[in-house]
Amino acid sequence: MKRLSIYHALIKFTNTFSLLVVLGTFSLYLYLSKRYDVQPNFIVGVGLSLGTWIIYTIDHLLDAIQLKEHASSTRHRYHFYKHRQIIFIVFISIFILLVLSLKLSRIYYTYVFCLSILTVIHFLMNYIISRRHLKLRLFKEIYIALVVTIGFVITPVLEHYSEINLPYIFGVFGVLYLINLANLFIFSYFDRLSDQKDKMLSIAHFYSPKKLKQFIQIGIGLSIFLTFILLVNGIISWIDGFVFLPMQLSLLLIIIKPSLFIINDQYRFYGDLIYLYPIITFPFLH
């Protein structure tokens, strides 16, 4: 029982602070850098991971401040009660990002500016515009998945754009986009009751659980199909399949057996954990 409690405490801690998001982002950055055959820039990798955490945390803070102590999820309640401390940490993190940026080439400034604009559009669409136009919430997960995938796929090769293998990048982008989208839909599927209680809209507001589950399964199926097509045509290698297929099958297991993952928000923990799978391949990468 004690071990189980430690296990649940670990899940709650990592989910509350989005720690697997940070580690998973760094893991994918290193993996794709190696697959692009470019030298990883650890400053860029740390900056990408920290920037991702800042965006996730600001998103949670905005929800928490809006819901206050009435929030249903542990993550939002904690962000409300500790919002001053968390905001302070966010400002420190932004300062660290600014210091790191001094060591980067100019091409990253334009890139980060573009990603920042896309992120601001997300916040405007999610917290302001969609209040008047509810149907825009249909695009929330679709848009977030797009921005996240751009960050994952483009960042490692930004300094080496003249050496880009376009078929490989487009293929990986397609697979990861479908994985990210399915993952976000899974979170919405599991969060639908608490979202309804908190009057927060997501795609789960517009579709029944059965229909949303079908969307998720179709998305994962398309991702698996695309992976096999890319493998058969030699656009990606077996090592990419060794990363992508376990990610896809893990998400499929979560949505097929929701009763196993709904307890203690394990679906979010294991949904974020898939982005650490590339670590397994590091010994085989040159």
Side-chain angles (χ1 to χ4, degrees):
M1 183 64 70
K2 186 176 180 181
R3 288 183 179 180
L4 191 62
S5 298
I6 294 173
Y7 167 69
H8 286 160
L10 174 65
I11 289 178
K12 183 180 290 187
F13 180 77
T14 53
N15 284 349
T16 300
F17 295 101
S18 305
L19 296 185
L20 288 183
V21 172
V22 177
L23 297 175
T25 300
F26 193 70
S27 165
L28 265 177
Y29 172 80
L30 293 179
Y31 173 76
L32 288 176
S33 294
K34 292 291 187 180
R35 295 299 294 130
Y36 293 153
D37 198 24
V38 300
Q39 185 65 30
N41 185 327
F42 287 94
I43 293 177
V44 173
V46 170
L48 177 65
S49 303
L50 190 56
T52 303
W53 179 84
I54 290 170
I55 293 169
Y56 269 70
T57 303
I58 291 175
D59 199 27
H60 297 155
L61 279 169
L62 290 174
D63 286 338
I65 292 170
Q66 177 181 333
L67 296 170
K68 299 183 174 21
E69 68 274 6
H70 306 296
S72 299
S73 72
T74 301
R75 182 177 68 257
H76 287 140
R77 284 197 303 273
Y78 187 89
H79 278 68
F80 171 69
Y81 288 118
K82 300 290 184 180
H83 67 271
R84 286 188 176 85
Q85 295 91 325
I86 295 174
I87 289 172
F88 177 74
I89 295 173
V90 167
F91 276 113
I92 293 296
S93 301
I94 292 173
F95 176 75
I96 293 172
L97 278 183
L98 292 174
V99 172
L100 291 176
S101 70
L102 298 176
K103 299 180 179 295
L104 298 178
S105 59
R106 288 187 177 182
I107 190 171
Y108 285 104
Y109 296 161
T110 304
Y111 177 66
V112 170
F113 176 76
C114 292
L115 284 181
S116 299
I117 293 297
L118 292 175
T119 303
V120 169
I121 291 172
H122 154 66
F123 285 125
L124 288 175
M125 187 170 64
N126 194 37
Y127 293 100
I128 298 176
I129 300 175
S130 62
R131 291 180 180 178
R132 296 183 178 180
H133 306 281
L134 294 181
K135 285 291 184 180
L136 285 176
R137 289 293 177 103
L138 278 169
F139 301 100
K140 175 184 174 182
E141 289 86 355
I142 295 171
Y143 185 82
I144 294 173
L146 176 64
V147 177
V148 169
T149 308
I150 290 173
F152 283 163
V153 176
I154 303 302
T155 306
V157 78
L158 197 61
E159 286 185 279
H160 308 274
Y161 54 88
S162 61
E163 306 167 22
I164 288 178
N165 179 347
L166 283 178
Y168 180 81
I169 286 185
F170 281 128
V172 169
F173 191 98
V175 172
L176 281 178
Y177 177 76
L178 289 170
I179 288 174
N180 292 335
L181 185 60
N183 209 358
L184 290 170
F185 280 177
I186 286 173
F187 292 166
S188 294
Y189 173 84
F190 281 97
D191 289 340
R192 66 189 186 279
L193 295 179
S194 61
D195 283 349
Q196 288 173 7
K197 187 176 179 181
D198 293 337
K199 297 181 180 180
M200 296 175 62
L201 297 181
S202 69
I203 193 169
H205 174 82
F206 299 96
Y207 297 100
S208 66
K210 182 179 179 181
K211 181 66 71 174
L212 184 54
K213 199 171 183 179
Q214 290 174 347
F215 287 160
I216 294 166
Q217 292 170 343
I218 290 171
I220 296 170
L222 287 174
S223 181
I224 293 173
F225 177 74
L226 179 58
T227 300
F228 276 112
I229 292 296
L230 295 171
L231 280 169
V232 168
N233 287 278
I235 296 175
I236 64 174
S237 73
W238 66 269
I239 203 163
D240 298 304
F242 190 72
V243 170
F244 295 146
L245 287 174
M247 294 173 77
Q248 295 152 347
L249 293 177
S250 295
L251 295 182
L252 195 59
L253 177 62
I254 292 172
I255 199 60
I256 288 177
K257 296 289 186 181
S259 60
L260 296 177
F261 297 94
I262 195 170
I263 301 171
N264 202 44
D265 293 346
Q266 292 179 87
Y267 63 88
R268 188 173 294 275
F269 178 85
Y270 288 105
D272 287 338
L273 186 66
I274 66 171
Y275 299 103
L276 287 174
Y277 289 4
I279 291 176
I280 301 172
T281 68
F282 285 1
F284 308 101
L285 299 176
H286 302 293

Short mmCIF file of all heavy atoms in Angstrom, two decimals, residues 80-111:
data_model
loop_
_atom_site.label_atom_id
_atom_site.label_comp_id
_atom_site.label_asym_id
_atom_site.label_seq_id
_atom_site.Cartn_x
_atom_site.Cartn_y
_atom_site.Cartn_z
N PHE A 80 -3.92 27.62 -8.46
CA PHE A 80 -4.62 28.77 -7.89
C PHE A 80 -4.05 29.13 -6.52
O PHE A 80 -3.72 30.30 -6.27
CB PHE A 80 -6.12 28.48 -7.77
CG PHE A 80 -6.85 29.54 -7.01
CD1 PHE A 80 -7.02 30.81 -7.55
CD2 PHE A 80 -7.34 29.30 -5.73
CE1 PHE A 80 -7.68 31.81 -6.85
CE2 PHE A 80 -8.00 30.29 -5.02
CZ PHE A 80 -8.16 31.55 -5.58
N TYR A 81 -3.94 28.14 -5.65
CA TYR A 81 -3.48 28.43 -4.28
C TYR A 81 -2.01 28.87 -4.24
O TYR A 81 -1.62 29.62 -3.35
CB TYR A 81 -3.67 27.21 -3.39
CG TYR A 81 -5.12 26.94 -3.05
CD1 TYR A 81 -5.75 25.77 -3.45
CD2 TYR A 81 -5.86 27.87 -2.34
CE1 TYR A 81 -7.08 25.53 -3.14
CE2 TYR A 81 -7.20 27.64 -2.02
CZ TYR A 81 -7.80 26.47 -2.43
OH TYR A 81 -9.11 26.25 -2.12
N LYS A 82 -1.22 28.43 -5.19
CA LYS A 82 0.20 28.78 -5.22
C LYS A 82 0.53 29.67 -6.42
O LYS A 82 1.67 29.68 -6.88
CB LYS A 82 1.04 27.49 -5.29
CG LYS A 82 0.84 26.54 -4.12
CD LYS A 82 1.42 27.10 -2.83
CE LYS A 82 1.32 26.10 -1.69
NZ LYS A 82 1.88 26.63 -0.43
N HIS A 83 -0.45 30.42 -6.90
CA HIS A 83 -0.23 31.16 -8.15
C HIS A 83 0.87 32.21 -8.03
O HIS A 83 1.60 32.45 -9.00
CB HIS A 83 -1.54 31.79 -8.66
CG HIS A 83 -2.09 32.86 -7.80
ND1 HIS A 83 -2.95 32.61 -6.76
CD2 HIS A 83 -1.91 34.22 -7.85
CE1 HIS A 83 -3.28 33.75 -6.20
NE2 HIS A 83 -2.67 34.75 -6.82
N ARG A 84 1.02 32.83 -6.89
CA ARG A 84 2.08 33.85 -6.74
C ARG A 84 3.47 33.21 -6.87
O ARG A 84 4.34 33.74 -7.57
CB ARG A 84 1.94 34.56 -5.40
CG ARG A 84 0.77 35.53 -5.33
CD ARG A 84 0.80 36.34 -4.04
NE ARG A 84 -0.26 37.36 -4.01
CZ ARG A 84 -1.49 37.13 -3.61
NH1 ARG A 84 -1.84 35.91 -3.20
NH2 ARG A 84 -2.40 38.10 -3.61
N GLN A 85 3.65 32.08 -6.19
CA GLN A 85 4.94 31.40 -6.26
C GLN A 85 5.22 30.88 -7.67
O GLN A 85 6.35 30.98 -8.18
CB GLN A 85 4.99 30.22 -5.27
CG GLN A 85 4.92 30.64 -3.80
CD GLN A 85 3.49 30.70 -3.27
OE1 GLN A 85 2.56 31.05 -3.99
NE2 GLN A 85 3.33 30.34 -2.01
N ILE A 86 4.18 30.36 -8.31
CA ILE A 86 4.35 29.81 -9.65
C ILE A 86 4.63 30.93 -10.65
O ILE A 86 5.48 30.78 -11.54
CB ILE A 86 3.11 28.99 -10.07
CG1 ILE A 86 2.98 27.76 -9.17
CG2 ILE A 86 3.21 28.56 -11.53
CD1 ILE A 86 1.72 26.95 -9.37
N ILE A 87 3.94 32.05 -10.51
CA ILE A 87 4.20 33.19 -11.39
C ILE A 87 5.64 33.67 -11.23
O ILE A 87 6.31 34.01 -12.22
CB ILE A 87 3.20 34.34 -11.09
CG1 ILE A 87 1.80 33.96 -11.57
CG2 ILE A 87 3.65 35.64 -11.76
CD1 ILE A 87 0.72 34.94 -11.15
N PHE A 88 6.13 33.67 -9.99
CA PHE A 88 7.53 34.06 -9.75
C PHE A 88 8.48 33.10 -10.47
O PHE A 88 9.44 33.54 -11.12
CB PHE A 88 7.82 34.04 -8.24
CG PHE A 88 9.24 34.35 -7.89
CD1 PHE A 88 9.73 35.64 -7.97
CD2 PHE A 88 10.10 33.32 -7.49
CE1 PHE A 88 11.06 35.92 -7.66
CE2 PHE A 88 11.43 33.59 -7.18
CZ PHE A 88 11.90 34.90 -7.26
N ILE A 89 8.20 31.80 -10.41
CA ILE A 89 9.04 30.81 -11.09
C ILE A 89 8.97 31.00 -12.60
O ILE A 89 9.98 30.86 -13.30
CB ILE A 89 8.60 29.37 -10.70
CG1 ILE A 89 8.85 29.14 -9.21
CG2 ILE A 89 9.36 28.34 -11.53
CD1 ILE A 89 8.29 27.82 -8.70
N VAL A 90 7.79 31.34 -13.12
CA VAL A 90 7.64 31.59 -14.55
C VAL A 90 8.51 32.78 -14.97
O VAL A 90 9.20 32.72 -16.00
CB VAL A 90 6.16 31.86 -14.91
CG1 VAL A 90 6.04 32.42 -16.33
CG2 VAL A 90 5.35 30.57 -14.80
N PHE A 91 8.50 33.86 -14.18
CA PHE A 91 9.33 35.02 -14.50
C PHE A 91 10.83 34.68 -14.46
O PHE A 91 11.60 35.12 -15.31
CB PHE A 91 9.03 36.18 -13.56
CG PHE A 91 7.86 37.01 -13.98
CD1 PHE A 91 6.69 37.05 -13.23
CD2 PHE A 91 7.90 37.77 -15.15
CE1 PHE A 91 5.61 37.82 -13.62
CE2 PHE A 91 6.83 38.54 -15.55
CZ PHE A 91 5.67 38.56 -14.79
N ILE A 92 11.22 33.87 -13.48
CA ILE A 92 12.61 33.42 -13.42
C ILE A 92 12.96 32.61 -14.66
O ILE A 92 14.04 32.75 -15.25
CB ILE A 92 12.85 32.58 -12.14
CG1 ILE A 92 12.71 33.44 -10.88
CG2 ILE A 92 14.23 31.91 -12.19
CD1 ILE A 92 13.73 34.54 -10.77
N SER A 93 12.04 31.74 -15.08
CA SER A 93 12.25 30.91 -16.25
C SER A 93 12.37 31.75 -17.51
O SER A 93 13.21 31.48 -18.39
CB SER A 93 11.11 29.89 -16.40
OG SER A 93 11.00 29.07 -15.26
N ILE A 94 11.54 32.78 -17.62
CA ILE A 94 11.61 33.69 -18.77
C ILE A 94 12.95 34.42 -18.79
O ILE A 94 13.57 34.58 -19.85
CB ILE A 94 10.44 34.68 -18.75
CG1 ILE A 94 9.12 33.96 -18.99
CG2 ILE A 94 10.65 35.78 -19.79
CD1 ILE A 94 7.90 34.84 -18.81
N PHE A 95 13.42 34.84 -17.60
CA PHE A 95 14.72 35.49 -17.51
C PHE A 95 15.84 34.54 -17.97
O PHE A 95 16.75 34.95 -18.71
CB PHE A 95 14.98 35.94 -16.07
CG PHE A 95 16.34 36.55 -15.86
CD1 PHE A 95 16.62 37.83 -16.31
CD2 PHE A 95 17.34 35.82 -15.23
CE1 PHE A 95 17.88 38.38 -16.13
CE2 PHE A 95 18.60 36.37 -15.04
CZ PHE A 95 18.87 37.65 -15.49
N ILE A 96 15.75 33.28 -17.57
CA ILE A 96 16.74 32.28 -18.00
C ILE A 96 16.71 32.13 -19.52
O ILE A 96 17.77 32.04 -20.17
CB ILE A 96 16.49 30.92 -17.31
CG1 ILE A 96 16.75 31.04 -15.80
CG2 ILE A 96 17.35 29.82 -17.92
CD1 ILE A 96 16.34 29.82 -15.01
N LEU A 97 15.51 32.10 -20.08
CA LEU A 97 15.38 32.00 -21.54
C LEU A 97 16.05 33.19 -22.24
O LEU A 97 16.73 33.02 -23.26
CB LEU A 97 13.91 31.93 -21.94
CG LEU A 97 13.20 30.59 -21.86
CD1 LEU A 97 11.77 30.71 -22.38
CD2 LEU A 97 13.94 29.52 -22.66
N LEU A 98 15.86 34.38 -21.68
CA LEU A 98 16.46 35.57 -22.27
C LEU A 98 17.98 35.50 -22.21
O LEU A 98 18.68 35.89 -23.16
CB LEU A 98 15.96 36.83 -21.55
CG LEU A 98 14.48 37.17 -21.76
CD1 LEU A 98 14.08 38.34 -20.87
CD2 LEU A 98 14.20 37.49 -23.22
N VAL A 99 18.52 35.00 -21.11
CA VAL A 99 19.98 34.84 -20.98
C VAL A 99 20.49 33.82 -21.99
O VAL A 99 21.50 34.04 -22.67
CB VAL A 99 20.34 34.42 -19.55
CG1 VAL A 99 21.83 34.06 -19.46
CG2 VAL A 99 20.01 35.52 -18.56
N LEU A 100 19.76 32.69 -22.11
CA LEU A 100 20.17 31.66 -23.07
C LEU A 100 20.13 32.19 -24.50
O LEU A 100 20.96 31.82 -25.34
CB LEU A 100 19.25 30.44 -22.95
CG LEU A 100 19.37 29.61 -21.66
CD1 LEU A 100 18.32 28.50 -21.65
CD2 LEU A 100 20.77 29.01 -21.53
N SER A 101 19.15 33.06 -24.78
CA SER A 101 18.98 33.57 -26.15
C SER A 101 20.18 34.39 -26.61
O SER A 101 20.42 34.53 -27.82
CB SER A 101 17.71 34.41 -26.25
OG SER A 101 17.85 35.63 -25.53
N LEU A 102 20.95 34.92 -25.66
CA LEU A 102 22.12 35.72 -26.02
C LEU A 102 23.19 34.88 -26.70
O LEU A 102 24.07 35.42 -27.38
CB LEU A 102 22.70 36.39 -24.77
CG LEU A 102 21.78 37.38 -24.04
CD1 LEU A 102 22.45 37.89 -22.77
CD2 LEU A 102 21.40 38.54 -24.96
N LYS A 103 23.12 33.57 -26.50
CA LYS A 103 24.12 32.68 -27.07
C LYS A 103 23.67 32.02 -28.37
O LYS A 103 24.33 31.12 -28.89
CB LYS A 103 24.47 31.59 -26.04
CG LYS A 103 25.05 32.13 -24.74
CD LYS A 103 25.36 31.01 -23.78
CE LYS A 103 25.97 31.53 -22.48
NZ LYS A 103 27.29 32.17 -22.70
N LEU A 104 22.51 32.46 -28.90
CA LEU A 104 21.96 31.84 -30.09
C LEU A 104 22.11 32.75 -31.31
O LEU A 104 22.23 33.97 -31.19
CB LEU A 104 20.47 31.53 -29.88
CG LEU A 104 20.16 30.53 -28.74
CD1 LEU A 104 18.65 30.35 -28.62
CD2 LEU A 104 20.84 29.19 -28.99
N SER A 105 22.09 32.13 -32.48
CA SER A 105 22.16 32.90 -33.72
C SER A 105 20.83 33.59 -34.00
O SER A 105 19.80 33.23 -33.43
CB SER A 105 22.53 31.98 -34.89
OG SER A 105 21.56 30.96 -35.04
N ARG A 106 20.86 34.56 -34.89
CA ARG A 106 19.69 35.40 -35.14
C ARG A 106 18.50 34.63 -35.70
O ARG A 106 17.35 35.05 -35.52
CB ARG A 106 20.06 36.53 -36.10
CG ARG A 106 20.95 37.59 -35.46
CD ARG A 106 21.12 38.77 -36.41
NE ARG A 106 21.90 39.83 -35.79
CZ ARG A 106 22.17 40.99 -36.40
NH1 ARG A 106 21.72 41.21 -37.63
NH2 ARG A 106 22.87 41.91 -35.77
N ILE A 107 18.76 33.54 -36.38
CA ILE A 107 17.67 32.80 -37.00
C ILE A 107 16.66 32.33 -35.95
O ILE A 107 15.47 32.22 -36.21
CB ILE A 107 18.21 31.59 -37.81
CG1 ILE A 107 17.07 30.98 -38.65
CG2 ILE A 107 18.83 30.54 -36.91
CD1 ILE A 107 17.56 29.94 -39.63
N TYR A 108 17.15 32.09 -34.73
CA TYR A 108 16.25 31.63 -33.66
C TYR A 108 15.33 32.75 -33.19
O TYR A 108 14.22 32.49 -32.72
CB TYR A 108 17.07 31.08 -32.48
CG TYR A 108 17.66 29.73 -32.76
CD1 TYR A 108 19.01 29.60 -33.05
CD2 TYR A 108 16.87 28.58 -32.73
CE1 TYR A 108 19.55 28.35 -33.31
CE2 TYR A 108 17.41 27.34 -32.99
CZ TYR A 108 18.76 27.23 -33.28
OH TYR A 108 19.30 26.00 -33.54
N TYR A 109 15.78 34.00 -33.29
CA TYR A 109 14.95 35.12 -32.85
C TYR A 109 13.68 35.20 -33.69
O TYR A 109 12.57 35.37 -33.16
CB TYR A 109 15.72 36.43 -32.93
CG TYR A 109 16.93 36.52 -32.02
CD1 TYR A 109 17.94 37.44 -32.24
CD2 TYR A 109 17.06 35.67 -30.93
CE1 TYR A 109 19.05 37.52 -31.40
CE2 TYR A 109 18.15 35.74 -30.09
CZ TYR A 109 19.14 36.66 -30.33
OH TYR A 109 20.22 36.73 -29.49
N THR A 110 13.86 35.10 -35.00
CA THR A 110 12.69 35.12 -35.90
C THR A 110 11.79 33.92 -35.64
O THR A 110 10.55 34.05 -35.60
CB THR A 110 13.16 35.12 -37.37
OG1 THR A 110 14.04 36.21 -37.59
CG2 THR A 110 11.96 35.22 -38.31
N TYR A 111 12.40 32.78 -35.47
CA TYR A 111 11.64 31.53 -35.24
C TYR A 111 10.85 31.61 -33.94
O TYR A 111 9.65 31.30 -33.92
CB TYR A 111 12.64 30.38 -35.20
CG TYR A 111 12.02 29.03 -34.89
CD1 TYR A 111 11.14 28.42 -35.79
CD2 TYR A 111 12.36 28.35 -33.72
CE1 TYR A 111 10.60 27.17 -35.51
CE2 TYR A 111 11.83 27.11 -33.45
CZ TYR A 111 10.95 26.52 -34.35
OH TYR A 111 10.42 25.29 -34.08
#
